[in-house]
Amino acid sequence: MDEPIRILLGEDEIPRRWYNLIADLPVRPPPPLHPATRAPVTPDDLAGVFARELIAQEATQERWIPVPEEVRDAYRLLNRPTPLQRAVRLERYLRTPARIYFKREDLSPTGSHKANTAFPQAYYNAREGVEQLVTETGAGQWGTALALAARHFGVGCKVFMVRSSFEHKPYRRHVMRLYGADVSPSPGPETTFGRRLLEREPEHPGSLGVAISDALEYAVGSPTRRYALGSVLNHVLLHQSVIGLEVQQQFAKIDVVPDHIVGCVGGGSNFAGFAYPMLGETLRRGGEGPEFLAVEPTAVPSMTRGRYEYDFGDTAGRTPLLKMFTLGASFVPSPIHAGGLRYHGVAPSLSALVDAGRVRPLAVGQAESFEAGVLFARTEGIVPAPESAHAVRAAIDLALEAKRTGEAKVIAFNLSGHGLFDLAGYAEHLEGRLGVAAGTGTVVPA
Ligand SMILES: Cc1ncc(COP(=O)(O)O)c(C=O)c1O
């Protein structure tokens, strides 16, 4: 029989353990530092900010962390295990000998991979008696995921949404409210930091760094609240490993070994979730394995043009200092449509891997990524999120390179989300109205 287009797993094959790459890194990434004392952060420093179990997971060196049954059960609600799918129509269109596979994280009811960590975070907080989870969101994917997860486990949810998205992208705000979350624009009048910014600049558009400062200040303002973060930190990355662990099983089922592993990068949890289980295997084998390609927007070139140094995760300087590739905590990226990639820094573990040459960073322009998104929609029928379209672009370019060299390469990328709330961006692209940071706009040949 021909290989199936969708490689499926049964519900009993949802991973029972998350994978923690830190256990397999030859050199541990430098520790987070306290923002005031500059000493390595201790679990006590984070008490009152995050749930205790999440603080323990943040620091653990264990390779495997058990997935609680309640979370495995909730993963079913998220359509886990998600299919690994072959992009045969795209391959035919490109006339490439390469095989292209993509993981269907777009099938989550909240629209992206973000729910894979939102659910365990809400679970641990609920178990520890937390009454309200507080977070920030840019375009809204993370806020939507946390809103549903909090509802599922019976915890309240407060989301500070970057003001420009709050005003100009109302649909995700509506979905968060529909799930029961309280959504406020950031900067806003509820925090000292927000009030200060608005006094100086009443029309301040906000940024992810500002929204993190707002959410942190609000969260630590009451002992019944805790803060939740949707990327960058180790515990977030390890929850996302459920993606890559499924992919490993799926490739094993069809006896295929990938040559290229591709994911887009905002703070790094999407790339890490998809790639780290396979990267860990590569590290354990002494370096032999696929190429790992981390794709960022040219408008936010932290890995390709940033500095590898200690920096804050937020604008107000409240978070611990992380050693990471960064454009600077006050960097405000141009308003590209891939809102989930507009973050100034990259997860410390991913930064260390890029610095060591284990992961290849690549920057892709906005127009090039939308062009790839349109081609993917026209061939495969799925509208990728503008974030995911960056990975689609890189996968297409690898497939075209394979065509030039005549090699039957196997390319796998993570389709981290769907773009059905991002049609305004696609419309601007189709109508030739995309502005700054449009990239080089390479033409995809027929
Ligand atoms: C659809 C989608 N893909 C990828 C990303 C980037 O995720 P990460 O911050 O985990 O790198 C985001 C972030 O919001 C997203 O919404």
Side-chain angles (χ1 to χ4, degrees):
M1 199 181 87
D2 282 351
E3 182 193 301
I5 286 193
R6 287 162 27 118
I7 300 106
L8 304 173
L9 298 174
E11 286 184 0
D12 57 331
E13 291 171 291
I14 293 174
R16 291 174 192 281
R17 308 182 297 179
W18 290 300
Y19 170 66
N20 179 20
L21 179 85
I22 301 296
D24 286 318
L25 285 180
V27 183
R28 304 247 181 275
L33 304 181
H34 191 284
T37 64
R38 311 260 157 156
V41 164
T42 66
D44 283 349
D45 295 329
L46 300 175
V49 178
F50 294 107
R52 283 188 300 280
E53 184 61 33
L54 296 171
I55 296 171
Q57 289 182 1
E58 188 57 30
T60 188
Q61 313 271 324
E62 294 294 317
R63 181 173 288 123
W64 299 106
I65 316 294
V67 182
E69 260 322 297
E70 293 87 340
V71 174
R72 276 192 87 232
D73 187 54
Y75 277 163
R76 281 188 270 262
L77 174 71
L78 306 178
N79 291 324
R80 304 220 71 85
T82 58
L84 179 70
Q85 190 159 326
R86 174 112 181 250
V88 277
R89 288 146 291 213
L90 177 62
E91 291 169 15
R92 273 186 218 134
Y93 178 86
L94 297 173
R95 298 204 202 101
T96 175
R99 277 178 286 168
I100 306 173
Y101 293 87
F102 59 103
K103 181 70 166 161
R104 298 288 314 266
E105 294 304 300
D106 60 302
L107 290 179
S108 165
T110 71
S112 79
H113 69 293
K114 292 287 179 187
N116 297 328
T117 181
F119 275 70
Q121 290 195 40
Y123 166 76
Y124 291 119
N125 276 283
R127 216 178 51 171
E128 293 177 23
V130 171
E131 288 172 17
Q132 191 183 40
L133 274 169
V134 186
T135 198
E136 67 292 321
T137 198
Q141 293 271 23
W142 164 241
T144 310
L146 193 69
L148 179 62
R151 164 69 32 176
H152 182 84
F153 288 112
V155 187
C157 183
K158 166 98 177 164
V159 183
F160 286 90
M161 186 173 191
V162 174
R163 182 177 286 276
S164 55
S165 301
F166 184 90
E167 284 167 1
H168 302 298
K169 298 190 173 172
Y171 292 111
R172 285 208 178 273
R173 162 159 61 91
H174 298 329
V175 181
M176 287 184 264
R177 286 189 168 148
L178 188 153
Y179 286 147
D182 175 13
V183 189
S184 304
S186 161
E190 283 160 292
T191 61
T192 314
F193 184 62
R195 285 192 294 275
R196 219 172 51 217
L197 288 187
L198 287 177
E199 265 166 35
R200 280 210 305 259
E201 194 182 337
E203 300 302 316
H204 198 299
S207 74
L208 215 42
V210 169
I212 295 175
S213 301
D214 270 342
L216 260 175
E217 182 187 326
Y218 188 84
V220 299
S222 159
T224 60
R225 299 179 196 142
R226 289 291 181 276
Y227 174 65
L229 190 66
S231 192
V232 179
L233 298 181
N234 291 339
H235 69 272
V236 180
L237 273 52
L238 79 85
H239 297 155
Q240 291 292 357
S241 69
V242 66
I243 306 171
L245 292 167
E246 286 178 8
V247 170
Q248 282 182 308
Q249 294 185 71
Q250 287 162 314
F251 274 127
K253 267 196 182 187
I254 53 172
D255 205 13
V256 167
V257 178
D259 297 298
H260 303 280
I261 300 294
V262 183
C264 65
V265 176
S269 76
N270 166 64
F271 178 85
F274 182 59
Y276 277 10
M278 290 174 274
L279 187 49
E281 211 179 88
T282 303
L283 291 173
R284 289 196 295 277
R285 272 205 305 261
E288 211 176 295
E291 180 201 41
F292 294 91
L293 193 56
V295 192
E296 66 185 8
T298 50
V300 196
S302 38
M303 293 181 294
T304 51
R305 297 179 62 188
R307 288 187 307 274
Y308 185 40
E309 62 188 23
Y310 273 104
D311 196 9
F312 292 107
D314 72 324
T315 309
R318 274 179 217 286
T319 69
L321 288 150
L322 301 174
K323 177 92 186 270
M324 60 183 178
F325 275 99
T326 175
L327 295 161
S330 57
F331 176 79
V332 179
S334 61
I336 54 167
H337 287 281
L341 307 187
R342 292 179 69 227
Y343 185 63
H344 65 273
V346 173
S349 60
L350 179 53
S351 296
L353 288 160
V354 168
D355 189 54
R358 296 276 184 188
V359 170
R360 178 159 74 93
L362 175 76
V364 163
Q366 174 158 258
E368 299 161 85
S369 62
F370 270 120
E371 184 184 39
V374 169
L375 179 56
F376 194 74
R378 289 181 181 173
T379 49
E380 295 298 322
I382 303 163
V383 182
E387 293 85 0
S388 319
H390 287 72
V392 179
R393 174 79 243 180
I396 288 174
D397 286 345
L398 287 169
L400 292 174
E401 178 61 22
K403 179 176 173 173
R404 274 188 290 276
T405 61
E407 290 174 287
K409 294 285 191 191
V410 176
I411 301 159
F413 73 89
N414 197 22
L415 188 68
S416 51
H418 71 68
L420 294 175
F421 286 119
D422 302 284
L423 296 179
Y426 276 98
E428 281 183 29
H429 172 71
L430 292 171
E431 292 157 16
R433 291 187 284 114
L434 277 181
V436 286
T440 55
T442 339
V443 173
V444 178

